[in-house]
């Protein structure tokens, strides 16, 4: 750790040199700048550097290295595990770097490191284009993509990393590096699932797809019909085209027009069928779900950018998530999944989700460190509540859902769906063989493990 005089001089120089704002404890705006999405996280960095361009990121990395400060990187979104902030270190905050530049002729888009899905989707929809994004408009693009990237379009467009064309990165020694299939290909491979372990991603370039139409059927059912709903949804997806996606959810009835007032605040089962195409084609696929007795919902054409906002989770709630990827969805597991809803915290923002894979996910490149690609389904207990008194039962419920799914688990996991669950789960999220190669690449680009506030890969 540097001396106080050196640290003070360095901080003064950073304030002078950085184009963006710099916050330290006691500064007006510091407490607001350190607050993150997950209300469980309360950390006090020594310095927060709100960068506005790549040069700011370079200056910030060099500042931290000179003072031997730990570095946390805050992109545009959630960082549910809380790794976007630290205690006593530097936070490189990219939230002012949100530019999205679309090249419709090339069907490609360049996205700054602090952009959210909302930034991306609004920019591309103007041209009738889209790419695989998360399932909420508030998700940060950078962490989402580098962690693998699964969303409503993945069955037709592949995982987000399957559409990654290039990354601009600031490394641990403050260098600016371009990674693509032709330049630094080992690093480019590592960025297909390895997350923020190798540097600060200041921009990403991604492939786009034509998406002139989008439609959904979001149907609410009484929970006693849940088993029939899940089995029907499973059978629908089994024969549906790749344009169909979505999932089955247990949730608290929301205070929205599409939910009858007497069911708001109560446990409900919901089926969401998303469709990258016309309403007419969606209705043909959704017919068996529409035939089941349902209590409300939304059915029709809807812009993809609006669908992305449907289950936005507001900041400040207490979040605890996990996931298990499944070999299949036999009736025995359907029963287990539906029983899991009986103990979920209600009324809260918690969602008990079951989502299909297959399609372009399974057909995508097998070479990347995303070992969950071949799983048939994923169960995603998404715990979210306001009251700290609910922490114990909420966390226990998430653990129970995971434990109940073990007999059907593939053992792999998507790291963006989980918090800090230990090094073995990190290996499960990347694959053991992949992990060994990632350790070697980590040693090349970050031998001191400067970027460790993440699902960490230690340099070999």
């Amino acid at each position: 750790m540097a001396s106080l005089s050196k640290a003070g001089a360095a901080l003064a120089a950073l304030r002078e040199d950085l184009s963006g704002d710099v916050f330290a404890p006691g500064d007006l705006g510091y407490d607001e700048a350190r607050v993150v999405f997950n209300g469980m996280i309360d950390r006090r960095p020594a310095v927060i550097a709100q960068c506005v361009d790549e040069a700011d990121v370079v200056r910030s990395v060099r500042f931290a290295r000179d003072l031997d400060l730990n570095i946390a990187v805050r992109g545009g979104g959630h960082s549910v595990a809380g790794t976007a902030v630290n205690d006593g270190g530097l936070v490189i905050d990219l939230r002012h770097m949100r530019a999205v530049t679309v090249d419709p002729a090339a069907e490609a888009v360049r996205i700054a490191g602090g952009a959210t899905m909302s930034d991306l989707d609004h920019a591309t929809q103007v041209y009738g284009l889209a790419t695989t994004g998360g399932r909420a408009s508030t998700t940060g693009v950078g962490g989402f993509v580098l962690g693998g990237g699964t969303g409503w379009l993945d069955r037709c467009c592949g995982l987000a990393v399957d559409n990654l064309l290039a990354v601009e990165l600031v490394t641990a020694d403050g260098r600016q590096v371009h990674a693509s299939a032709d330049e630094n290909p080992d690093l480019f491979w590592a960025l297909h699932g390895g997350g923020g372990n190798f540097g600060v991603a200041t921009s990403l370039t991604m492939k786009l797809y034509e998406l002139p139409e989008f439609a959904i059927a979001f149907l609410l059912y009484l929970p006693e019909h849940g088993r029939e709903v899940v089995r029907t949804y499973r059978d629908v997806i089994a024969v549906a085209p790749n344009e169909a996606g979505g999932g089955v959810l247990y949730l608290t009835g929301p205070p929205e027009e599409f939910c009858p007032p007497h069911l708001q605040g109560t446990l409900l089962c919901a089926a969401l069928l998303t469709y990258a195409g016309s309403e007419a084609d969606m209705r043909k696929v959704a017919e068996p779900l529409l035939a089941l007795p349902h209590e409300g919902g939304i059915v029709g054409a809807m812009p993809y950018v609006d669908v992305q906002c449907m289950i936005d989770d507001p900041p400040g709630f207490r979040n605890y998530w996990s996931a298990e990827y499944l070999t299949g969805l036999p009736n025995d597991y359907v029963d287990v999944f539906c029983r899991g809803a009986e103990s979920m915290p209600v009324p809260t923002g918690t969602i008990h989700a079951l989502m299909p894979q297959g399609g372009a996910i399974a057909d995508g490149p097998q070479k990347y460190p995303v070992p969950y690609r071949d799983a048939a389904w994923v169960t995603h207990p998404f715990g979210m509540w306001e009251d700290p008194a609910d922490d114990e039962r909420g966390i226990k419920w998430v653990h129970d859902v995971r434990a109940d799914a073990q007999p059907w688990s593939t053992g792999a996991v998507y790291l963006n769906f989980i918090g800090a669950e230990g090094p073995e789960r990190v290996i499960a999220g990347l694959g053991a063989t992949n992990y060994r190669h990632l350790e070697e690449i980590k040693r090349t680009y970050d031998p001191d493990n400067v970027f460790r506030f993440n699902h960490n890969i230690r340099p070999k």
Side-chain angles (χ1 to χ4, degrees):
M1 180 64 68
S3 67
L4 289 177
S5 59
K6 179 182 178 182
L11 178 58
L14 184 67
R15 291 187 193 273
E16 180 69 26
D17 294 342
L18 212 72
S19 297
D21 294 323
V22 177
F23 296 97
D27 288 347
L28 185 66
Y30 169 81
D31 283 327
E32 182 181 358
R34 72 183 181 87
V35 170
V36 293
F37 169 82
N38 188 351
M40 286 186 177
I41 309 301
D42 182 18
R43 294 181 181 148
R44 300 187 65 84
V47 182
I48 300 170
Q50 294 191 330
C51 302
V52 299
D53 55 26
E54 193 170 44
D56 274 359
V57 175
V58 170
R59 292 186 190 101
S60 299
V61 169
R62 291 176 177 167
F63 165 83
R65 298 305 307 274
D66 287 345
L67 296 182
D68 194 25
L69 290 175
N70 289 328
I71 297 175
V73 180
R74 182 170 190 172
H78 297 154
S79 184
V80 170
T83 54
V85 287
N86 57 26
D87 283 315
L90 171 71
V91 171
I92 295 178
D93 186 341
L94 305 179
R95 287 177 295 163
H96 292 301
M97 298 173 61
R98 299 176 60 168
V100 178
T101 306
V102 181
D103 184 343
E107 294 191 337
V109 58
R110 183 182 172 112
I111 310 142
T116 64
M117 290 301 158
S118 178
D119 299 319
L120 170 60
D121 295 335
H122 278 93
T124 57
Q125 182 166 279
V126 173
Y127 302 97
L129 300 169
T131 193
T132 299
R135 295 177 174 88
S137 70
T138 50
T139 301
V141 176
F144 167 79
V145 174
L146 299 183
T150 168
W152 303 134
L153 294 179
D154 53 14
R155 281 176 38 87
C156 63
C157 300
L159 297 171
V161 285
D162 298 343
N163 300 303
L164 186 61
L165 301 176
V167 181
E168 304 297 330
L169 202 74
V170 175
T171 60
D173 55 1
R175 289 183 299 125
Q176 296 169 249
V177 174
H178 176 84
S180 66
D182 300 322
E183 192 171 344
N184 299 305
D186 268 6
L187 174 60
F188 188 58
W189 174 85
L191 295 172
H192 285 70
N197 273 282
F198 307 97
V200 185
T202 56
S203 77
L204 305 91
T205 303
M206 297 187 68
K207 175 180 172 57
L208 295 172
Y209 299 84
E210 293 185 5
L211 190 68
E213 295 183 277
F214 202 77
I216 67 164
F218 181 61
L219 303 170
L220 301 176
Y221 305 86
L222 295 176
E224 53 263 38
H225 300 309
R227 287 167 174 77
E228 185 178 11
V229 172
V230 175
R231 290 193 295 264
T232 301
Y233 188 93
R234 174 196 63 192
D235 296 344
V236 164
I237 285 293
V239 296
N242 289 354
E243 287 79 6
V248 182
L249 321 167
Y250 280 92
L251 75 171
T252 297
E256 303 288 350
E257 288 185 8
F258 61 80
C259 181
H262 69 284
L263 296 177
Q264 294 175 10
T266 70
L267 178 67
L268 294 174
C269 181
L272 172 61
L273 184 78
T274 61
Y275 197 85
S278 70
E279 177 182 349
D281 288 342
M282 179 276 293
R283 284 182 175 274
K284 292 175 187 175
V285 175
E287 189 173 342
L289 294 166
L290 291 165
L292 297 178
H294 50 280
E295 306 300 314
I298 305 170
V299 181
M302 182 181 292
Y304 172 68
V305 70
D306 293 343
V307 175
Q308 287 285 71
C309 301
M310 280 186 60
I311 58 172
D312 277 359
D313 33 353
F317 279 64
R318 306 176 73 79
N319 282 258
Y320 192 87
W321 308 354
S322 195
E324 286 293 336
Y325 278 74
L326 309 175
T327 56
L329 198 62
N331 286 340
D332 286 351
Y333 180 69
V334 172
D335 291 342
V336 168
F337 174 78
C338 294
R339 277 200 305 272
E342 296 170 6
S343 57
M344 67 180 274
V346 174
T348 66
T350 297
I351 295 175
H352 187 28
L354 185 61
M355 295 175 289
Q357 295 240 113
I361 304 170
D363 294 339
Q366 298 292 316
K367 60 184 178 179
Y368 297 132
V370 282
Y372 47 86
R373 185 185 295 280
D374 295 331
W377 290 80
V378 55
T379 184
H380 181 27
F382 184 102
M384 187 170 66
W385 51 86
E386 293 183 80
D387 189 346
D390 286 330
D391 285 359
E392 184 176 352
R393 70 168 180 143
I395 292 171
K396 180 182 185 301
W397 174 77
V398 172
H399 288 168
D400 288 347
V401 170
R402 265 201 68 204
D404 291 345
Q406 289 304 309
W408 299 273
S409 175
T410 68
V413 67
Y414 170 46
L415 293 177
N416 284 350
F417 272 173
I418 72 172
E421 297 185 0
E424 293 304 315
R425 283 282 270 177
V426 175
I427 294 172
L430 298 166
T433 301
N434 293 328
Y435 188 83
R436 289 190 288 271
H437 187 33
L438 289 163
E439 287 178 312
E440 296 169 357
I441 298 170
K442 177 77 169 182
R443 184 182 61 201
T444 299
Y445 288 92
D446 185 11
D448 299 321
N449 201 16
V450 169
F451 299 111
R452 66 174 71 110
F453 289 91
N454 45 41
H455 290 298
N456 193 227
I457 300 164
R458 297 185 63 84
K460 185 174 181 180

